Amino acid sequence: MAFSPLVDELVESLRCLPGVGQKTAQRMAFHLLERGRSGGTRLADALSNAMTGVRRCESCQNFSDTELCAICENPSRSIGTLCVIESPSDLLAIEQAGDYKGGYFVLMGHLSPIDGVGPEEIGIERLVQRVGGEQVSEIILATNPTVEGEATAYYIADRLADRDILITRLAHGIPVGGELGYVDGFTLTHAFRGRKPLSD
Ligand SMILES: [Zn+2]
């Protein structure tokens, strides 16, 4: 169906968003054209500016408008600790928790040989170089507790095994306020393995 090349192009373009199929894209396009013109114009400007202006931080690979991101530029962050995560949303979650004051390294994915994603694609060489060039004393491997996330963590730990640094992995376990009876067996096993003395 083609009643307007401009509308068709808008619908097709919206389909690049995750989880947006033909019907949803049509609904979005019609909404913007019928009732959301100012929002649509703002969206178009923001998209255009972000697509040309946002780059990757030279140091941590996170999205940034400048060569170094605000966290890497912040002199009050401890550069001795580096937290390795899969995505910028992980960084936001940790920052919102508010307790961590070290640096980050954002992989923008995980190792996935089937999809052709190797160490080079997610910047592990860059991470190894950074660890060699800075006074890093601890690497916190905070990749997701999935098969790929675990494999990525083990790979990085292996690559850094000959360095004189502490390599730690985030503990997985019982959610705060949770009850043992409702926790799945995999999580419970991890929690047992990650147990620590009560005095900590
Ligand atoms: Zn950075």
Side-chain angles (χ1 to χ4, degrees), residues 34-73:
E34 284 169 29
R35 294 190 297 275
R37 294 250 173 171
S38 64
T41 306
R42 185 179 166 194
L43 174 64
D45 289 343
L47 265 178
S48 174
N49 291 338
M51 289 308 115
T52 51
V54 176
R55 52 198 283 188
R56 303 277 288 273
C57 169
E58 299 276 320
S59 181
C60 73
Q61 300 201 127
N62 194 21
F63 293 131
S64 174
D65 297 358
T66 47
E67 197 174 313
L68 286 178
C69 73
I71 291 177
C72 289
E73 288 243 71

